[in-house]
Structures are given as structure tokens and as C-alpha cells.
């Protein structure tokens, strides 16, 4: 296939990463998926034909080996999806130092190491990078100091690529989703449902409650974000560089000061 490209997707075993791998493979591209858990990667690899390379993005040696494995398998690297990430709760005064360090290692320093390892190959290919950040990079929430900071920094790391290497043909853009049905979001919804006493159908009730005020009124699906990622990787977005695309159901377009006109907001405890 003349326009077949080679993409590396981190966090490729579940959620947005897995959906991106499926979409890219369906379009005929070669895909390498990575993550810390071998079993989800194996399942996606068997389903799609992607190459699974388990790796901890926070380990610089493992990151170098990951890039080498991708290039050894396919001879080149045209695009990189920085999707692996974790969340840990807590305000500045509450977040544990070890949690802060783990979030930064995974969400920011890991992508930095991966970009350094992949950069020569991406420049050779005049390729593209897409970072999966979050609306938390643009708007903050309660008890999200480490996660929000890491995602805002990831956004600027991606913009640095666009500014420093755009002249060499490299494009780098960021997607900022809001609530999307992923394993990580499911776990957060489960905790919220328990804290709020939302009953037996807790996770679904939690998703409904936290997205009710969004203009779309629902959470996103992983494929919906994957479509945005695939477009940013493709030649169709050839003049898009350093951009931030919100795939958030309109969350960042909404003025929270107007919510009371359409909804009755019943406050809970500050810790719920």
C-alpha cells in the first residue's frame, strides 16, 4: 500500500489507545502498541494484527528498546501517539509526594524520553505526533493538582515540538478529551458512585450525572477520540501544527456561571 505508514501508540491495550490502534489498522497502517500490561496488549494485537511490545514508558531504557523494536519490525516510524497516562487525586496540600512523582514520570517525563528516542525517525519520515492530554490541561477540577499539571505540561511539550521542529517537517498536536468511557474513567465513576450513593447501577448513573451539564449530555466513546487522533496523524491535517483539539462534548465551550439557569445544582460535601 503506497500510503501505508507506521505508528506507535502508547497505552494501546485499552480505551482510547486500543481504539486508535483498531482505527489505524483498519485503514491499512502498521501499528505498534505498547503498555505496561501484556494481556490487554495481546488481546488487541490478536484482534487487529498490531505488534504488541510491553513497555514501561517511565523507564528510559525500556523506551529506547520500544522504539528500536518498532523500527526493527517495520523499517521506519511515521507517527507517535502519546496516550499512556495515569491519574492520582489530591490538592497541592494533600497529594502524596510519591503520587506526584509517579504521575509526572508517566504522563510527562515518559513522553519526553519517548520523543527523544523517536525524534530522529520521526524527522526522517517528516512525521506526526499526537499527545492525548485532557480538558484538565485547560480547565482544572477539584483535587486534581498532579494530573492537571502533568497534562498541561504535556500540551506544552507537544507545542515545543511544533515550534522547534516544524521547519523540519514534523507536526505535533494535542487532543484534549473530557469524560470518555475508558477503564480509567470507569474506575473514577465507580468511586464517585460509591461516594455519592448512586445505587446499584452506580457507574452508569455516575456517567449520566457528570455529563448531564455538557452540551452533548453524554460521555464520549474511545473511537470518537481515536477519529480525531487519526485525522491529526494523517496528511489531511498537513497544515495543522501545535494545535489543541478539544474532543470534549462542548465542555470547554460552556460557561459554568450560566448552569443555574438550566440546572438546579445541589452541592455535596467538598470531598465528594
Amino acid at each position: 500500500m503506497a500510503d501505508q505508514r507506521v505508528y506507535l501508540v502508547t497505552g494501546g491495550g485499552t480505551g482510547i489507545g486500543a481504539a486508535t490502534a483498531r482505527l489505524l489498522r483498519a485503514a491499512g497502517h502498521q501499528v505498534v502498541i505498547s503498555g505496561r500490561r501484556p494481556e490487554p496488549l495481546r488481546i488487541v494485537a490478536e484482534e487487529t494484527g498490531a505488534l504488541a511490545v510491553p513497555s514501561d514508558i517511565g523507564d528510559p531504557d525500556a523506551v529506547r528498546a520500544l522504539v528500536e523494536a518498532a523500527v526493527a519490525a517495520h523499517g521506519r516510524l511515521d507517527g507517535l501517539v502519546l496516550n499512556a497516562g495515569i491519574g492520582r487525586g489530591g490538592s497541592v496540600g494533600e497529594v502524596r509526594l510519591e503520587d506526584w512523582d509517579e504521575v509526572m514520570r508517566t504522563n510527562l517525563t515518559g513522553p519526553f524520553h519517548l520523543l527523544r528516542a523517536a525524534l530522529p525517525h520521526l524527522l526522517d519520515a517528516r512525521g506526526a505526533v499526537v499527545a492525548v492530554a485532557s480538558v484538565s490541561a485547560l480547565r482544572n477540577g477539584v483535587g486534581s493538582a498532579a494530573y492537571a499539571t502533568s497534562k498541561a505540561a504535556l500540551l506544552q511539550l507537544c507545542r515545543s515540538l511544533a515550534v522547534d521542529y516544524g521547519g523540519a517537517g514534523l507536526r505535533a498536536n494535542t487532543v484534549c478529551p473530557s469524560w470518555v468511557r475508558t477503564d480509567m474513567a470507569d474506575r473514577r465513576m465507580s468511586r464517585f458512585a460509591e461516594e455519592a450513593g448512586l445505587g446499584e447501577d452506580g457507574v452508569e448513573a455516575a456517567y449520566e450525572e457528570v455529563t448531564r451539564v455538557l452540551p452533548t449530555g453524554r460521555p464520549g466513546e474511545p473511537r470518537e477520540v481515536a477519529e480525531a487522533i487519526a485525522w491529526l496523524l494523517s496528511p489531511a491535517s498537513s497544515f495543522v501544527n501545535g494545535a489543541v483539539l478539544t474532543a470534549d462534548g462542548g465542555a470547554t465551550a460552556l460557561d459554568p456561571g450560566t448552569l443555574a439557569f438550566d440546572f438546579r445544582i445541589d452541592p455535596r460535601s467538598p470531598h465528594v
Side-chain angles (χ1 to χ4, degrees):
M1 184 178 294
D3 61 348
Q4 184 184 76
R5 292 177 290 278
V6 179
Y7 296 117
L8 171 57
V9 181
T10 67
T14 61
I16 293 169
T20 301
R22 293 187 187 102
L23 196 62
L24 294 173
R25 283 294 296 150
H29 302 299
Q30 297 292 345
V31 178
V32 179
I33 53 174
S34 182
R36 288 188 288 190
R37 295 182 294 156
E39 184 59 17
L41 294 174
R42 182 190 65 78
I43 293 171
V44 175
E46 289 181 355
E47 174 193 342
T48 64
L51 172 64
V53 182
S55 181
D56 179 0
I57 194 175
D59 180 344
D61 292 333
V63 162
R64 284 191 292 271
L66 169 61
V67 172
E68 289 170 2
V71 175
H74 299 298
R76 58 185 292 159
L77 183 60
D78 298 281
L80 179 58
V81 180
L82 301 170
N83 174 67
I86 62 171
R88 297 289 184 270
S91 64
V92 170
E94 297 169 338
V95 65
R96 300 186 307 167
L97 182 58
E98 54 266 37
D99 287 341
W100 175 275
D101 288 342
E102 185 179 9
V103 169
M104 295 302 161
R105 173 178 172 268
T106 304
N107 295 4
L108 179 60
T109 306
F112 169 75
H113 287 308
L114 183 53
L115 288 167
R116 296 254 292 193
L119 190 59
H121 306 288
L122 294 170
L123 290 174
D124 283 345
R126 298 179 70 85
V129 174
V130 178
V132 181
S134 166
V135 293
S136 294
L138 308 170
R139 306 284 189 272
N140 218 319
V142 175
S144 189
Y147 182 75
T149 300
S150 71
K151 291 300 188 177
L154 177 64
L155 186 158
Q156 290 295 353
L157 177 63
C158 200
R159 278 180 164 167
S160 293
L161 284 173
V163 170
D164 292 333
Y165 298 101
L170 180 65
R171 295 187 302 108
N173 297 290
T174 305
V175 174
C176 290
S178 59
W179 289 116
V180 176
R181 291 179 182 272
T182 65
D183 288 353
M184 190 166 111
D186 284 352
R187 290 192 295 271
R188 183 64 189 95
M189 290 301 106
S190 181
R191 293 197 303 273
F192 174 57
E194 183 178 351
E195 293 163 353
L198 295 180
E200 293 183 3
D201 193 25
V203 170
E204 287 302 314
Y207 272 120
E208 181 181 349
E209 183 151 348
V210 301
T211 61
R212 185 180 301 138
V213 298
L214 297 184
T216 53
R218 64 171 177 85
E221 297 295 335
R223 183 182 173 93
E224 293 178 297
V225 182
E227 293 278 6
I229 293 169
W231 179 74
L232 287 171
L233 289 170
S234 77
S237 62
S238 58
F239 198 56
V240 181
N241 203 11
V244 179
L245 176 57
T246 54
D248 64 355
T252 53
L254 184 66
D255 176 4
T258 66
L259 287 175
F261 293 107
D262 292 311
F263 296 91
R264 177 180 174 182
I265 308 298
D266 295 320
R268 295 191 177 91
S269 161
H271 298 291
V272 173

